[in-house]
Amino acid sequence: MYPPHLVAPMKDELLSVGFEDLNTAEKVDDVMQNAEGTMLVVVNSVCGCAAGAARPGVKAALALSDIKPDKLVTVFAGVDFDATARMREYLLPYPPSSPSIGIFKDGELVHFIERHHIEGRSAQMIAQHLEMAFEEFCEKA
């Protein structure tokens, strides 16, 4: 739906801080079926709340928090259709939502931030929310 050159900078925003781009359903299954420890999943999007709050909030939380997930992965809604659809299966019972942010622990979804929890909030608020979630669900390094 979106041309690759248009979304490349939006993908790079997360890839530049260590996220793995899961752009096929097979890559999603491989990561999820071999999940150990904690994993942060970002369902990325071209929308304004992804650009203004979700991506900057995720990056700030990772930069500021002493406690971080073991693995960082992302799928891009509206671009990587099969990968996003497959990841959304792992995010059930939550309905499709982009952007959205999930934390898995040993393959089990333990925390989820839906789009309506991102819209209208600042990147700082998202970062603070994630920092608290990291403290609750992630191991200290």
Side-chain angles (χ1 to χ4, degrees), residues 81-92:
F81 297 103
D82 294 339
T84 303
R86 185 62 50 85
M87 182 57 76
R88 286 179 170 156
E89 292 176 20
Y90 290 100
L91 294 169
L92 289 171

Side-chain angles (χ1 to χ4, degrees), residues 97 99-102 111-115 117-118 126 129-130 133:
S97 178
S100 59
I101 305 163
H111 190 75
F112 192 65
I113 304 172
E114 297 177 82
R115 177 188 176 109
H117 292 123
I118 296 171
I126 301 301
H129 180 139
L130 285 170

Side-chain angles (χ1 to χ4, degrees), residues 1-2 22-29 31-32 39 41-47 49-50 73-102 104 107-109 111-116 118:
M1 184 155 127
Y2 299 105
L22 305 180
N23 54 15
T24 67
E26 294 77 19
K27 286 182 181 179
V28 171
D29 283 338
V31 163
M32 297 306 295
M39 180 169 49
V41 175
V42 175
V43 178
N44 204 348
S45 173
V46 299
C47 72
C49 61
V73 299
T74 183
V75 296
F76 207 111
V79 177
D80 302 319
F81 297 103
D82 294 339
T84 303
R86 185 62 50 85
M87 182 57 76
R88 286 179 170 156
E89 292 176 20
Y90 290 100
L91 294 169
L92 289 171
Y94 294 96
S97 178
S98 56
S100 59
I101 305 163
F104 287 82
E108 179 185 343
L109 182 64
H111 190 75
F112 192 65
I113 304 172
E114 297 177 82
R115 177 188 176 109
H116 70 268
I118 296 171

Side-chain angles (χ1 to χ4, degrees), residues 15 18-19 25-26 28 35-36 41 55-56 74-75 101 108 117 121 125 133 135-138:
L15 301 180
F19 277 81
E26 294 77 19
V28 171
E36 291 183 9
V41 175
R55 290 191 302 269
T74 183
V75 296
I101 305 163
E108 179 185 343
H117 292 123
R121 290 174 176 80
M125 292 170 75
E135 289 208 12
E136 183 174 351
F137 298 110
C138 300

